[in-house]
């Protein structure tokens, strides 16, 4: 229903092939999977992605599923990132500030790298997946290649979203960060759990989340295990503690502790998996409930499959994601992995029947915005 009204515009621009350069924030899984889905969408419609520039940090390793899953050449650069607490659970803001100040000379090199890479790419359009240094690069240099910024975070700037009612501390800083990422952007594509009007004054276009075809083609089932993902592996202590008290409930959690084997089996009902995207999605489709650190992309995938969600945010951006998802009735939020609360919520949970159709319409919405500058 959502896509029908946009087909004429899409057909109009299909005759011209465009070249795109992606700049991707490398923190977490969501921006990476969005870039993978968008590359496939563009190439299937006759366009070309000439490169992927991905921000990196010492704390994160670029997942193999991304490196092997994209066609465009991938290059990395040092980028601003948050530092975890000593328990590897939440963000340590003081540590993050000191770390990024120390790394500032390296970020200057990254800005110059981005400037040269953009100008030398031959791209017609730059697509920025919430990378801060992209906005700073456009602010400091006269770059005539238009850019489009894409991410759920741009919805936080929408006047109808009203984060002020959330009670979440640090939202002012998040708003400043979000605005900086989109300096020079012709459009801000705000990924949303639900349809909302555009805000032309702020150049905000509200679009559905970008789910990959592999997700859209999967048929969910209801298994007997809880599926989970933790951005910071320190949350495993919560899971281990709950498991000791409820050994009869099967738990399958994914993490990014790269020093561990691909599957770390604790016992017959608890296993930790290194992040493998195909296996992650297969187990997501078959679980009875999902627990995560409130990354936007995986919450959307759980909503698409009709799974009840427990969200355990580790920083302010994830708290805003959890606030928005809870407004949509998708799940509940907690300060720790309270799986008992998740099971209680799951008992009375009713999936959002409108969300799958909204998500499936993303191809028409987003393709139009990307080719129609």
């Amino acid at each position: 229903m959502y896509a029908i009204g946009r087909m004429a515009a899409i057909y109009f621009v299909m005759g011209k092939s465009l070249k795109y350069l992606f700049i991707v924030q490398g923190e977490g899984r969501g921006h990476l999977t969005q870039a993978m889905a968008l590359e496939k969408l563009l190439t299937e419609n006759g366009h070309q992605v000439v490169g992927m520039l991905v921000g990196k940090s010492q704390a994160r390793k670029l997942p193999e599923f991304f490196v092997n899953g994209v066609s465009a050449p991938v290059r990395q650069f040092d980028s601003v990132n948050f530092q975890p607490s000593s328990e590897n659970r939440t963000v340590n803001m003081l540590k993050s500030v000191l770390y990024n100040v120390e790394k500032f000379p390296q970020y200057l090199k990254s800005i110059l790298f981005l400037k040269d890479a953009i100008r030398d790419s031959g791209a017609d359009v730059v697509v920025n997946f919430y990378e801060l240094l992209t906005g700073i690069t456009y602010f400091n240099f006269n770059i005539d290649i238009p850019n489009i910024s894409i991410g759920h975070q741009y919805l936080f700037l929408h006047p109808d979203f009203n984060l002020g009612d959330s009670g979440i501390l640090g939202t002012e800083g998040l708003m400043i960060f979000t605005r900086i990422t989109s300096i020079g952007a012709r459009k801000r594509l705000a990924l949303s759990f639900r349809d909302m009007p555009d805000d032309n004054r702020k150049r905000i276009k509200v679009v559905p989340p970008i789910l990959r075809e592999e997700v859209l083609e999967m048929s969910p089932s209801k298994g007997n295990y809880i599926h989970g993902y933790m951005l910071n592996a320190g949350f495993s202590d919560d899971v281990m503690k709950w498991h000791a008290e409820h050994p009869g409930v099967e738990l399958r959690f994914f993490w990014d502790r790269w020093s561990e084997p691909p599957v770390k089996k604790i016992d017959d009902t608890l296993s930790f998996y290194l992040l493998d995207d195909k296996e992650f999605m297969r187990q997501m489709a078959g679980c009875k409930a999902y627990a995560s650190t409130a990354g936007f992309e995986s919450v959307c995938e759980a909503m698409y499959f009709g799974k009840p969600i427990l969200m355990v945010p580790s920083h302010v951006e994830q708290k805003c994601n959890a606030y928005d998802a809870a407004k949509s009735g998708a799940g509940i939020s907690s300060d720790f992995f309270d799986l008992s609360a998740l099971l209680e919520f799951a008992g009375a949970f009713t999936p959002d029947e409108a969300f799958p159709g909204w998500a499936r319409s993303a191809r028409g919405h987003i393709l139009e915005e990307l080719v129609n500058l």
Side-chain angles (χ1 to χ4, degrees):
M1 178 180 67
Y2 294 100
I4 293 174
R6 300 178 179 263
M7 294 308 295
I10 293 172
Y11 282 125
F12 178 76
V13 296
M14 290 303 286
K16 182 178 181 182
S17 176
L18 298 175
K19 294 181 179 180
Y20 294 82
L21 176 69
F22 287 4
I23 307 179
V24 189
Q25 185 202 111
E27 190 85 356
R29 169 179 171 270
H31 301 292
L32 299 174
T33 59
Q34 290 166 13
M36 291 173 66
L38 214 53
E39 181 191 42
K40 187 171 184 180
L41 173 63
L42 288 169
T43 55
E44 285 179 346
N45 285 277
H47 305 289
Q48 181 184 359
V49 178
V50 296
M52 301 260 190
L53 311 179
V54 184
K56 68 178 181 179
S57 72
Q58 294 178 347
R60 307 288 180 207
K61 178 182 176 182
L62 194 59
E64 289 295 323
F65 78 79
F66 177 79
V67 177
N68 298 328
V70 298
S71 300
V74 177
R75 288 190 287 171
Q76 292 192 268
F77 58 94
D78 286 309
S79 184
V80 176
N81 58 87
F82 295 110
Q83 296 297 296
S85 64
S86 57
E87 298 85 8
N88 197 15
R89 293 167 63 95
T90 59
V91 169
N92 184 317
M93 289 307 299
L94 178 59
K95 183 179 176 182
S96 297
V97 170
L98 295 176
Y99 172 84
N100 287 303
V101 167
E102 181 182 356
K103 292 279 289 183
F104 184 72
Q106 187 60 49
Y107 298 153
L108 289 177
K109 295 179 182 178
S110 294
I111 293 168
L112 293 174
F113 163 78
L114 288 177
K115 182 257 295 182
D116 292 338
I118 293 169
R119 288 179 171 172
D120 296 342
S121 66
D124 300 299
V125 181
V126 171
V127 183
N128 180 32
F129 295 82
Y130 204 62
E131 169 54 53
L132 181 75
L133 296 187
T134 306
I136 295 176
T137 301
Y138 268 81
F139 178 78
N140 282 283
F141 299 100
N142 182 23
I143 299 175
D144 57 4
I145 300 174
N147 89 64
I148 295 177
S149 293
I150 186 166
H152 179 230
Q153 296 86 346
Y154 300 112
L155 196 67
F156 304 160
L157 304 177
H158 196 290
D160 293 343
F161 190 79
N162 200 11
L163 260 179
D165 292 342
S166 68
I168 300 171
L169 298 177
T171 56
E172 297 85 357
L174 176 62
M175 297 293 197
I176 294 171
F177 188 98
T178 299
R179 289 188 179 96
I180 293 174
T181 66
S182 58
I183 290 175
R186 299 281 183 90
K187 300 177 184 178
R188 295 165 169 154
L189 301 188
L191 305 176
S192 175
F193 295 128
R194 56 199 170 274
D195 197 9
M196 293 173 61
D198 298 332
D199 182 352
N200 294 325
R201 185 176 65 85
K202 294 183 179 179
R203 306 185 309 283
I204 295 174
K205 298 286 185 179
V206 178
V207 295
I210 313 167
L211 301 183
R212 287 163 301 148
E213 283 188 16
E214 298 91 326
V215 176
L216 300 178
E217 293 171 355
M218 282 186 176
S219 298
S221 59
K222 188 174 182 181
N224 292 317
Y225 60 91
I226 295 176
H227 175 55
Y229 169 62
M230 53 189 75
L231 175 61
N232 296 317
F235 282 114
S236 60
D237 292 342
D238 289 352
V239 176
M240 295 283 285
K241 181 179 178 181
W242 191 89
H243 173 67
E245 299 171 355
H246 306 84
V249 180
E250 186 176 358
L251 308 176
R252 304 178 186 179
F253 272 76
F254 286 72
W255 61 5
D256 64 351
R257 189 174 284 176
W258 301 104
S259 58
E260 299 289 356
V263 182
K264 183 175 182 178
K265 187 173 181 179
I266 306 300
D267 55 34
D268 289 342
T269 54
L270 174 59
S271 297
F272 291 99
Y273 298 75
L274 278 182
L275 191 56
D276 176 290
D277 213 48
K278 290 184 178 179
E279 183 64 15
F280 178 87
M281 291 315 310
R282 186 185 71 81
Q283 297 204 27
M284 166 83 83
C287 71
K288 67 177 175 182
Y290 176 61
S292 84
T293 40
F296 175 75
E297 192 73 6
S298 70
V299 168
C300 288
E301 291 161 348
M303 290 178 67
Y304 184 78
F305 291 136
K307 307 297 183 180
I309 309 167
L310 170 69
M311 294 163 285
V312 188
S314 62
H315 52 71
V316 62
E317 179 187 320
Q318 291 181 344
K319 288 180 180 179
C320 295
N321 292 343
Y323 169 72
D324 192 19
K327 278 177 33 176
S328 293
I332 56 174
S333 184
S334 175
D335 293 331
F336 65 100
F337 276 84
D338 186 356
L339 302 181
S340 295
L342 173 59
L343 291 176
E344 182 179 353
F345 174 76
F349 172 70
T350 301
D352 182 351
E353 295 182 357
F355 183 81
W358 171 238
R360 284 192 294 268
S361 72
R363 295 173 65 85
H365 282 76
I366 294 174
L367 183 61
E368 178 187 354
E369 298 299 340
L370 289 178
V371 299
N372 222 352
L373 284 177

